[in-house]
Amino acid sequence: MHGVPEVHDPTRPPPGSPRPQVDAVLFDFHGTLAQVEDPVAWVQAAATACGAELDRGRATGLADRLVMAGRAGGPLPHRVPPHLAEHWADRDLYEHSHRAAYTGLAATVNTDVEGLADALYERLLGPEGWLPYADTEPTLRHLHDSGVKVAVVSNVGFDIRPIFTAWGLAGLIDAFVLSYEVGRCKPDPAIFLRACGLLGVDPERTLMVGDTPADAGAVAAGCAALVLPAAEPGRANGLGATLALAGCAR
């Protein structure tokens, strides 16, 4: 029998050739670098801000209902009321829509705590409402020290820079590309191209790291992509794989 001839793809490097160097890594925020705080702690802290104290049993029941209604950083709501549909569709493009969507969803739950919907949202805006993964800081620092540029590319309706500042990580990030500021949401290739432009790097020498198919949209912009399942708050999230792909010795 005759062997099947090998077909050469001119767009791919020949076997044995070195992989193109990675000059930059783009990271998603939620589910990749950080996770939202425990839902029960979230509800209790927000209630305290409203002057109410909830025991763990009541807070747990409310947390379950609020998460099901729709929590930023949580699973998608089972139902979006018609009066919130437009804000929900635009939540990652406009600050006012992001706030209106999530406070409106929380308000559909009867909590008997005045002002809780707004307090829950305010909790989201600060560093207390998030936990960086255990390997976030060492990974970002190693990339920074190795001369690899880093950007955070997020579908989000509020400024996450203060969170990184509070964590002492802002100096490790070269650029933030946030959907509500640039008017594009992942998986639109334009948001990834904007990040590459801000960093001054070639998309073909850039790696996008995220946790959803939307993050893999970077491939359409010419980047490589690594999709990691989101871990529980405070744990390691497998970000060490980023260093290997970026060619950084550990």
Side-chain angles (χ1 to χ4, degrees):
M1 294 180 60
H2 296 287
V4 178
E6 181 179 352
V7 178
H8 174 63
D9 182 353
T11 66
R12 303 181 65 178
S17 63
R19 189 178 62 82
Q21 178 185 343
V22 171
D23 294 332
V25 179
L26 316 179
F27 287 99
D28 171 52
F29 175 54
H30 168 242
T32 301
L33 295 178
Q35 188 56 273
V36 285
E37 66 180 325
D38 171 76
V40 176
W42 170 59
V43 171
Q44 287 182 312
T48 298
C50 296
E53 296 299 325
L54 301 180
D55 61 48
R56 185 165 184 84
R58 186 179 176 206
T60 299
L62 283 179
D64 289 343
R65 292 160 57 199
L66 287 162
V67 169
M68 184 173 294
R71 174 195 186 188
L76 294 176
H78 292 287
R79 176 181 177 274
V80 175
H83 72 282
L84 296 177
E86 186 172 355
H87 284 308
W88 177 255
D90 290 342
R91 67 192 184 282
D92 290 330
L93 291 173
Y94 305 104
E95 285 183 277
H96 72 277
S97 286
H98 195 274
R99 178 181 286 271
Y102 285 108
T103 56
L105 289 170
T108 65
V109 177
N110 182 18
T111 66
D112 294 325
V113 178
E114 185 176 355
L116 185 63
D118 285 316
L120 290 167
Y121 188 80
E122 289 300 323
R123 186 79 182 169
L124 175 78
L125 304 182
E128 301 84 3
W130 297 85
L131 288 100
Y133 285 120
D135 47 356
T136 292
E137 188 275 339
T139 299
L140 293 178
R141 189 166 301 282
H142 199 113
L143 290 169
H144 178 268
D145 292 347
S146 299
V148 177
K149 294 184 178 181
V150 172
V152 175
V153 182
S154 178
N155 285 355
V156 67
F158 63 94
D159 190 2
I160 60 176
R161 294 177 184 86
I163 296 175
F164 283 81
T165 298
W167 289 341
L169 301 180
L172 305 179
I173 310 297
D174 297 291
F176 287 87
V177 184
L178 311 181
S179 60
Y180 83 99
E181 292 182 336
V182 302
R184 294 288 187 275
C185 292
K186 298 177 289 186
D188 187 337
I191 193 169
F192 305 107
L193 293 173
R194 176 69 67 89
C196 292
L198 288 174
L199 295 178
V201 297
D202 187 329
E204 293 187 357
R205 296 166 69 91
T206 300
L207 173 67
M208 173 67 203
V209 182
D211 69 311
T212 69
D215 298 308
V219 172
C223 305
L226 172 64
V227 178
L228 300 168
E232 293 299 313
R235 296 186 178 179
N237 197 33
L239 295 174
T242 302
L243 300 178
L245 291 172
C248 298
R250 300 189 69 176

